[in-house]
Amino acid sequence: SFVSLLPKNVIFGSRDMQSIENSLQGSYNFNTREAISLSFRNFWSSAAFAEDSFTRLLNDGSLVPVDYVVTESNDPDANFNIWNLDLSYQWRFAPGSELIFLYRNSIFKQDNLSDLVYTESLKNLFNQPARHNLSLRIVYYLDYNTIKNTFKG
């Protein structure tokens, strides 16, 4: 896997990846025009590069071993964790017209602590500030023929 782009050198390395994805979705219809939905998703991925497994790409496309010194500033290991919780209310108030209210809670964390197991990474994730978003979308269908006839009369 790609590690770094150095002047006149492309560095690759072997890595061990782990991923876990949890999701849950549900909805409840109050009637034919109103519904509420809830969805949750957590995704975690960790990639740890093996020591002494770095190679350099040659012009002919082959790879040769290279001494790539890993420091804190160029550490290619990755730990990625994200959490999303969405709650939405949908109301179809007229034919072709609807109102959607959405609340989203999201947390994101990316670092190079690839040695953390899932539960430790999750604890770090919940130490991050959560982002709360509210949105309201209203779509209203206008019938051109009705409007045209209103202004003619």
Side-chain angles (χ1 to χ4, degrees):
S1 298
F2 176 78
V3 173
S4 178
L5 181 61
L6 301 174
K8 299 185 182 182
N9 287 310
V10 177
I11 307 297
F12 286 92
S14 296
R15 66 181 177 186
D16 181 25
M17 281 192 65
Q18 299 178 48
S19 294
I20 295 176
E21 181 174 2
N22 298 302
S23 64
L24 181 65
Q25 296 179 354
S27 63
Y28 179 78
N29 293 327
F30 297 106
N31 52 48
T32 57
R33 299 183 322 149
E34 295 176 272
I36 192 167
S37 299
L38 177 70
S39 69
F40 152 79
R41 179 176 179 253
N42 172 240
F43 178 77
W44 170 72
S45 182
S46 177
F49 282 83
E51 291 182 33
D52 300 327
S53 69
F54 298 104
T55 56
R56 182 171 58 92
L57 180 64
L58 299 178
N59 288 336
D60 65 1
S62 61
L63 299 171
V64 295
V66 65
D67 289 328
Y68 182 74
V69 179
V70 176
T71 63
E72 190 174 315
S73 64
N74 73 351
D75 188 353
D77 291 351
N79 182 43
F80 175 83
N81 209 333
I82 191 165
W83 156 285
N84 284 324
L85 178 75
D86 294 348
L87 178 64
S88 68
Y89 171 76
Q90 183 176 12
W91 175 35
R92 291 177 198 90
F93 55 89
S97 303
E98 65 183 2
L99 174 138
I100 300 172
F101 177 76
L102 173 69
Y103 166 72
R104 172 171 282 168
N105 175 307
S106 62
I107 308 171
F108 169 80
K109 175 82 170 151
Q110 182 175 2
D111 53 36
N112 60 0
L113 302 175
S114 62
D115 57 333
L116 296 180
V117 295
Y118 174 72
T119 54
E120 292 172 335
S121 180
L122 201 58
K123 286 179 188 174
N124 280 353
L125 176 68
F126 285 111
N127 288 331
Q128 301 302 307
R131 285 179 255 155
H132 304 278
N133 296 323
L134 291 174
S135 66
L136 178 65
R137 184 174 92 175
I138 300 173
V139 177
Y140 188 75
Y141 174 73
L142 297 174
D143 184 4
Y144 174 75
N145 289 323
T146 304
I147 293 171
K148 182 176 70 169
N149 292 336
T150 302
F151 288 114
K152 280 186 179 182

